[in-house]
Amino acid sequence: MTRIKILALLIIMSITSAAGAADTTTQPPREVRLKIVETSDVHGNFFPYNFITRTPWNGSMARVATFVDSLRSSDGPESVILLDNGDILQGQPTVYYYNFVDTASRHIASEIYDYMSYDAATIGNHDVETGHKVYDRWIEATDVPIMGANVIDTATGLPYLRPYTIIERQGIRTAVIGMLTPGIPMWLPEPLWSGLRFEDITTSAQKWVETVRRKENPDIVIGLFHSGYSDASRRPGLTENACLEVARNVAGFDAILGGHDHQRANRIVTNPEGRPVVLLNPANDAKAVGVLDITLSIDSDGTIIDKRITGSLADVDTLNPSPEYMSHFGAQRQAVENFTGRIIGRSEGLFDSSESLFGPSPFMTLIHRLQLQLTGADISFAAPLSIDAVIKPGDVRVSDMFGLYKYENMLLTMKLTGREIRDYLEESYSIWVDTAATNPGRHLLLFRSKRPSANDNRLRNPAYNFDSAAGIEYTVDITQPKGKRVNITSMADGTPFDPAHTYTVAVNSYRGNGGGDLMTRGAGLSKEEMKQRTVASTDIDLRYYMMKEIEKNGTITPTTDHNWRFVPEALADSLSETDRKIIKGH
């Protein structure tokens, strides 16, 4: 072999050896696994006990604590991110007590966030419903960032709350952008949200995802939106449930965690760049949590070369409550139990909200009479806020009042003409009652299913929008279409009812601000007109006045003001008998 060939061979061997050495030092991609856990619409369900029905309760934050503790133990604390999606300050008496009764102690919702080491939360519409004093105190009392990028301070034009937060785990930067459904001005009186305005979620999401990606260079971007999956029927100027719209139309999100509509969702949607976006919603009452499983492959220079995200919904309602959690919050639980267990009077009979679907009932008569008494109005509008509330004969406790009246609504007095009152009722009964003329022999009620049964008895629309009236005499013809059903014959005292006359009307604050569309689609009032027509408002919720009235009188007796009825009566009675069995499950 010549000298030149030997030299060439040595060079080749040297290169091969160097390459081999390089191969042995090349680092394989680093793999990082994260789990993001979401709660939403907890509504004060902090304990495995329902303080309204005074019975054991599925779900609850006590069970979520068990689930999260287990994850942190198995995967490590640095692998778990915990988020809440709002509507935590309304629902169970646990939060009412710390919202309005014990305002000196630290708010229990704030303490739960810190105790469970939440990383971030978004404000919900029912949190805003508690008013500035309550939600500002809740926000200030926790170390957890409460977000709302589209909640704008009108004085500064800047977000009133933190728009986003950056959470670092295992060297990975996760950006969480918080948003709130913007329908607040349509549902709540302005004093509750004074100084604020609410931007469209999609518009705000586009702005903030671009800002966050430019300024923060995150590895993962999550939308934490107190908004539902999709709006089936959009109102002009409002997209209430925008998660699907944002996922499809706004590039930059890896996942969007929803809430608000109390509907479970686990979907994958393609964004404008052709990338998958995971959509999750664990529904309400802390019976389930949403879980994002994230796996990242990271090159030696820190570049993410692969990102895999899957979503799941994990039921927690069968888990044992965390003993440590229950012990830590034992004093708070006892305080709430003492509050709700207090006897305020006695019931001489049964009050059953489900009977309100079929005509006048003791349940609705009690509410109507109180509204008329408190306001001195000519007419009262009210709805059963749930169809499964019952006050049984015997002692009436504070807890019973949360079943009787579910929400913290104020009581308004408004001015409406007789024609507007009739149109308002036409709208109410159109979403409540089927049309027997076009569907003979079917049902009185509008069910969601074409073949409703005791196992599928969901109504097409929420019963809290089924307003009836007191102070007037009227009939509702179930054989006629919307617009020709309601016939008001007189005032309750027998004097004539005049379509051109202006009457004072008692309504709750949700309705008086356009909630349920009875004032807008029905009476035909704009938002500005509703403001102008409001002549008075209570400064405390209606439930408070109900409790005080029962305490003052000592007893409540089931009586019914039969001031309205369905006609033809024989047909209505027959359909009611069928539907009553479906609603009651027997």
Side-chain angles (χ1 to χ4, degrees), residues 24 55 129 149 160 223-224 263 353 370 451 462-463 535 564 569 574:
T24 60
T55 58
E129 185 179 29
Y160 182 74
L224 186 63
Q263 301 295 318
S353 67
L370 182 64
R451 292 182 176 83
V535 296
W564 72 272
E569 289 189 72
S574 174

Side-chain angles (χ1 to χ4, degrees), residues 449-504:
S449 171
K450 292 182 179 179
R451 292 182 176 83
S453 66
N455 294 323
D456 185 9
N457 60 3
R458 295 169 298 171
L459 298 171
R460 186 179 301 177
N461 298 294
Y464 58 71
N465 287 330
F466 297 174
D467 272 22
S468 61
I472 53 176
E473 301 282 329
Y474 66 101
T475 59
V476 180
D477 192 335
I478 63 174
T479 68
Q480 296 299 315
K482 177 183 175 180
K484 296 182 179 181
R485 288 180 160 184
V486 177
N487 179 32
I488 303 175
T489 55
S490 71
M491 300 299 291
D493 62 4
T495 57
F497 177 82
D498 184 357
H501 183 70
T502 297
Y503 297 93
T504 53

Side-chain angles (χ1 to χ4, degrees), residues 342-396:
R342 184 168 64 86
I343 296 172
I344 58 173
R346 183 170 180 81
S347 173
E348 299 297 328
L350 179 68
F351 293 81
D352 182 349
S353 67
S354 68
E355 287 300 316
S356 308
L357 301 174
F358 306 103
S361 67
F363 192 91
M364 290 310 304
T365 296
L366 181 65
I367 295 174
H368 280 307
R369 286 183 179 178
L370 182 64
Q371 291 194 167
L372 291 173
Q373 177 185 325
L374 287 172
T375 61
D378 302 311
I379 295 166
S380 166
F381 287 147
L385 299 191
S386 62
I387 62 170
D388 56 0
V390 172
I391 297 179
K392 297 178 180 179
D395 290 335
V396 178

Side-chain angles (χ1 to χ4, degrees), residues 46 71 100 120 125 193 197 206 242 257 277 331 360 386 409 412 504 530 554:
F46 300 152
L71 269 189
F100 305 113
N125 56 293
W193 48 271
R197 63 179 173 83
Q206 183 72 63
L257 306 179
V277 180
S386 62
N409 293 320
L412 308 183
T504 53
M530 282 183 267

Side-chain angles (χ1 to χ4, degrees), residues 237-257:
L238 172 64
T239 303
E240 179 178 350
N241 297 307
C243 288
L244 179 61
E245 181 175 301
V246 173
R248 283 177 172 170
N249 300 322
V250 180
F253 289 97
D254 293 297
I256 293 175
L257 306 179

Side-chain angles (χ1 to χ4, degrees), residues 125-140:
N125 56 293
H126 283 295
D127 301 323
V128 177
E129 185 179 29
T130 63
H132 265 293
K133 285 185 180 179
V134 176
Y135 59 80
D136 286 343
R137 177 166 65 94
W138 161 62
I139 290 166
E140 290 169 4

Side-chain angles (χ1 to χ4, degrees), residues 16-75:
T16 305
S17 175
D23 286 343
T24 60
T25 59
T26 299
Q27 296 296 317
R30 178 170 69 99
E31 190 172 85
V32 173
R33 294 177 181 271
L34 296 173
K35 279 187 168 66
I36 298 180
V37 179
E38 177 207 10
T39 54
S40 188
D41 298 85
V42 172
H43 288 290
N45 288 288
F46 300 152
F47 301 104
Y49 184 78
N50 187 326
F51 290 94
I52 299 174
T53 61
R54 303 176 68 78
T55 58
W57 186 244
N58 294 334
S60 86
M61 283 294 221
R63 290 188 167 95
V64 174
T66 297
F67 180 86
V68 173
D69 288 346
S70 176
L71 269 189
R72 287 172 174 155
S73 176
S74 62
D75 294 25

